[in-house]
């Protein structure tokens, strides 16, 4: 998927397996534009991502085969840079005029417009210019725009769109709550939706898209976009969330949105369908863990992935797998947006039943990577994007866990390299 808009080289690509897998992080310059952006707990997005990137850098320092790339590798076309220059000068009128003069074939803009309205993109440009007065512009309690936010988001999306790695892990601003015409829940643009439509546009044949969302907060924006503008595409969305927390949307709400009743998929999991789009709601307040077992929500997701890949092979389809991930579904999360239910902060006993632990996530990642290795020729792309996760000690441990398994099961798979010991005490 190499593209003329993407230049530069990945870091430490010492093996073929390392080249197929990339960890994307924002550049220091881009992170500077995240000051004061809310992130669900005491840290803002600047502090949160700075800490996450530090952990990734420490892991890479012990194993340089972990391929890490920053968004400063993205070189955008001249007209994008002219647009950003006009915005930095505070000239919203000129910036909007430049946007209107973009070439029709501009891939980035067309990918954005497949998901977001032109009016909304124009509004974001204006908001960024207005943010220069104070250094930020508050649109709602959970959406704050900084002067460079639009440029940061465009670079982040462009890098993911045009990077050639088959497995892509992205750390950046969250996206899954964003709607086509407005931001929501810390999310401004919906990157997963953009990538889903872009990959389908590139493919000469219909792809099978499988989405497994594990953020404790429902993928409300992503579901809404796909339901209303991608129902002709072959999409299975397994959304694992707790309806008692933000945005507090239960089965009754989803039924109203789909304008149809749900089908029982077993284990108190409900299925809605519009056209070829199937949406599975795995509500963690209903689908509970039994003592001593892996959480059934993750077991269900893995089984659905395997079933859908098998079906795709029968239909001679390629598979694109999307994993909008939230570590706020971890039992050690402390943020109110993930744990405040029914007027109180969830206790440990409740969290053990309705949230994931390290054993669950290890099982999920190991089996997911096994599925990938066994079906690699049938898989077009795997995109993992971090959404939520706000308790620092918890998310640092989860980064260590994930990166250790990426190294063991992807980068060093089928090689004779000596794999460093995995971090302990997850």
């Amino acid at each position: 998927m190499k593209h003329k808009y993407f230049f530069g080289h990945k870091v430490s690509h010492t093996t073929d397996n390392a080249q197929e897998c990339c960890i994307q992080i924002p550049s220091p310059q881009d992170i500077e534009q995240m000051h004061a952006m809310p992130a669900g707990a005491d840290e803002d997005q600047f502090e949160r991502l700075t800490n996450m990137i530090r952990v990734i850098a420490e892991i890479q320092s012990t194993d340089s085969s972990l391929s890490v790339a920053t968004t400063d590798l993205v070189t955008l076309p001249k007209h994008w840079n002219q647009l950003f220059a006009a915005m930095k000068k505070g000239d919203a009128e000129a910036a909007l005029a430049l946007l209107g003069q973009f070439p029709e074939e501009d891939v980035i803009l067309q990918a954005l417009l497949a998901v977001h309205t032109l009016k909304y993109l124009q509004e974001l440009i204006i908001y960024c210019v207005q943010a220069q007065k104070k250094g930020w512009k508050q649109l709602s309690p959970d959406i704050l725009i900084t002067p460079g936010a639009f440029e940061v988001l465009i670079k982040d999306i462009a890098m993911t769109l045009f990077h050639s790695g088959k497995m892509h892990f992205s750390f950046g601003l969250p996206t899954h709550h964003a709607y086509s015409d407005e931001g929501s829940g810390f999310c401004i643009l919906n990157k997963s939706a953009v990538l889903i439509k872009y990959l389908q546009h590139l493919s000469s044949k219909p792809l099978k898209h499988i989405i497994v969302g594990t953020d404790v907060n429902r993928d409300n924006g992503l579901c809404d976009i796909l339901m209303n503008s991608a129902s002709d595409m072959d999409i299975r969305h397994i959304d694992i969330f707790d309806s008692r927390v933000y945005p507090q949307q239960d089965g009754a709400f989803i039924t109203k949105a789909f304008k149809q009743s749900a089908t029982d998929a077993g284990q108190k999991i409900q299925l809605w369908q519009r056209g070829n789009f199937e949406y599975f709601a795995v509500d963690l307040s209903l689908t509970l863990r039994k003592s001593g077992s892996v959480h059934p929500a993750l077991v269900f997701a893995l089984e659905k992935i395997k079933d859908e890949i098998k079906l795709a092979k029968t239909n001679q389809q390629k598979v694109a797998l999307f994993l909008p991930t939230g570590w706020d579904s971890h039992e050690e999360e402390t943020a109110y947006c993930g744990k405040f239910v029914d007027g109180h902060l969830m206790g440990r006993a409740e969290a053990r039943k309705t949230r994931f632990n390290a054993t669950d996530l290890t099982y999920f990642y190991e089996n997911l990577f096994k599925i990938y290795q066994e079906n690699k020729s049938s898989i077009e792309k795997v995109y993992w994007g971090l959404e939520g996760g706000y308790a620092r000690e918890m998310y640092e441990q989860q980064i260590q866990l994930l990166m250790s398994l990426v190294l063991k099961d992807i980068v060093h798979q089928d090689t004779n390299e000596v794999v460093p010991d995995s971090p302990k005490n997850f």
Side-chain angles (χ1 to χ4, degrees), residues 284-347:
L284 293 173
S285 71
L286 303 173
T287 304
L288 306 177
R289 177 203 308 282
K290 294 180 180 178
S291 179
S293 63
V294 174
H295 201 291
L298 296 178
V299 175
F300 174 81
L302 289 167
E303 289 303 314
K304 284 300 297 180
I305 292 171
K306 288 189 283 188
D307 289 346
E308 292 299 327
I309 290 177
K310 183 178 180 180
L311 185 59
K313 287 181 176 180
T314 300
N315 296 332
Q316 297 184 318
Q317 290 174 284
K318 288 276 193 174
V319 171
L321 178 60
F322 304 88
L323 303 162
T325 297
W327 288 324
D328 45 9
S329 56
H330 194 283
E331 67 180 21
E332 297 299 327
E333 177 61 87
T334 57
Y336 272 65
C337 61
K339 282 287 187 69
F340 194 76
V341 297
D342 301 327
H344 66 277
L345 201 62
M346 181 183 293

Side-chain angles (χ1 to χ4, degrees), residues 96-169:
L96 293 175
L98 287 166
L99 180 67
Q101 296 168 11
F102 272 27
E104 289 186 9
E105 66 274 14
D106 183 85
V107 178
I108 301 171
L109 181 58
Q110 292 308 311
L112 289 169
L113 291 175
V115 170
H116 295 287
T117 65
L118 177 60
K119 180 182 177 183
Y120 180 51
L121 299 182
Q122 292 169 333
E123 288 172 346
L124 289 177
I125 290 171
I126 294 171
Y127 294 150
C128 286
V129 172
Q130 293 173 343
Q132 294 177 12
K133 184 175 181 180
K134 294 182 178 180
W136 49 268
K137 181 178 177 64
Q138 191 88 42
L139 301 184
S140 67
D142 55 359
I143 297 293
L144 182 143
I145 301 293
T146 61
F150 188 63
E151 181 175 359
V152 168
L153 290 165
I154 295 302
K155 287 171 63 180
D156 175 77
I157 289 173
M159 182 167 180
T160 302
L161 291 183
F162 306 135
H163 199 279
S164 59
K166 196 166 189 174
M167 293 197 77
H168 201 95
F169 296 82

Side-chain angles (χ1 to χ4, degrees), residues 151-194:
E151 181 175 359
V152 168
L153 290 165
I154 295 302
K155 287 171 63 180
D156 175 77
I157 289 173
M159 182 167 180
T160 302
L161 291 183
F162 306 135
H163 199 279
S164 59
K166 196 166 189 174
M167 293 197 77
H168 201 95
F169 296 82
S170 179
F171 290 81
L173 293 172
T175 82
H176 69 137
H177 293 309
Y179 289 86
S180 63
D181 58 355
E182 66 176 344
S184 168
F186 314 146
C187 304
I188 300 170
L189 294 177
N190 203 305
K191 183 177 175 181
S192 292
V194 171

